[in-house]
Amino acid sequence: MDLLERSADLAALERALLNAASGSGSIVLVAGEAGIGKTHLVQAFTDLHKDDARILWGSCDDLSTPRTLGPFRDVATRVGGSLHDAVVHGTRSEVFDEVLAGVAEGIRPTALVIEDVHWADGASLDVIKFLGRRIERLGAMLILTYRDEEVPSDHPLTLLLGDLPASAVRRVQPEPLSFAAVEEIATGYVGSVEQLYAKTRGNPFLVTEALMVPSGEVPANVRDAVRTRASRL
């Protein structure tokens, strides 16, 4: 799907990267419901800057037993060296120091993306807090994506966000697509665009999946996603 109605969101990310390039880093919180296009937005942004920024990705997973430092293990696997040694075998202090050094190094600004932070383990949240409280002095931006619907007031992530310096935090919250955008995506759709929009409420994932099954049946991917979300609730 094309990146529709995301120019303001993309501009916020661009500003954060520009500030990071001048040595004033920030934390960009990209929040929204499942399927709203958080990853699509961030992927488009990083693709635009793969040649003028250092892009690092890590992901948190909904596991029965979360990986300790899961997203930073992803980063360390790519970066290697002392960061990898610290994350895999080092002490808590060594992990903090090496992550901070790893993000700060290089002549290009760093964009560190950590996806699905609502699933992060406690050790990862500690590293994010440590890094986030120092980010303004680094040539880097920390992009955190999460589902705000899965972060109640007593969630560990809520407590973490409250401890981050307000001056360093930027918020991006992609909105559902408008009817006009859905209509543009649905060019050639044989069904009713009005019904498509009403049923999906402009959620990009639901729109895309529904267009793949023009018969009007609920797509299997949508059915599975909804069941999973309902089970968590």
Side-chain angles (χ1 to χ4, degrees), residues 9 11 18 39 60 84 90 144 152 157 167 181 185 187 191 197 201 204 210 225:
D9 300 329
L18 185 62
T39 297
C60 306
H84 181 272
L144 307 178
L157 179 58
S167 58
I185 296 169
T187 300
Y197 180 71
R201 297 186 179 181

Side-chain angles (χ1 to χ4, degrees), residues 45-128:
F45 167 72
T46 56
D47 285 347
L48 286 172
H49 294 284
K50 60 185 177 183
D51 295 325
D52 55 26
R54 184 163 167 261
I55 309 297
L56 302 175
W57 282 78
S59 296
C60 306
D61 301 294
D62 183 22
L63 304 176
S64 299
T65 305
R67 292 188 305 160
T68 301
L69 297 172
F72 296 100
R73 287 178 181 269
D74 292 343
V75 173
T77 297
R78 175 184 172 183
V79 174
S82 57
L83 176 59
H84 181 272
D85 293 340
V87 171
V88 176
H89 304 294
T91 65
R92 174 187 173 93
S93 294
E94 289 171 339
V95 171
F96 286 167
D97 292 344
E98 288 299 330
V99 168
L100 184 64
V103 169
E105 72 178 17
I107 59 174
R108 297 180 297 168
T110 297
L112 172 57
V113 182
I114 302 181
E115 288 200 278
D116 295 322
V117 187
H118 53 285
W119 290 329
D121 64 290
S124 294
L125 291 177
D126 283 346
V127 177
I128 291 171

Side-chain angles (χ1 to χ4, degrees), residues 157-190:
L157 179 58
T158 301
L159 304 180
L160 164 65
L161 297 181
D163 284 335
L164 295 175
S167 58
V169 175
R170 311 287 180 266
R171 295 181 183 272
V172 173
Q173 190 149 12
E175 296 291 334
L177 298 175
S178 67
F179 176 80
V182 173
E183 191 173 35
E184 181 178 342
I185 296 169
T187 300
Y189 180 58
V190 298

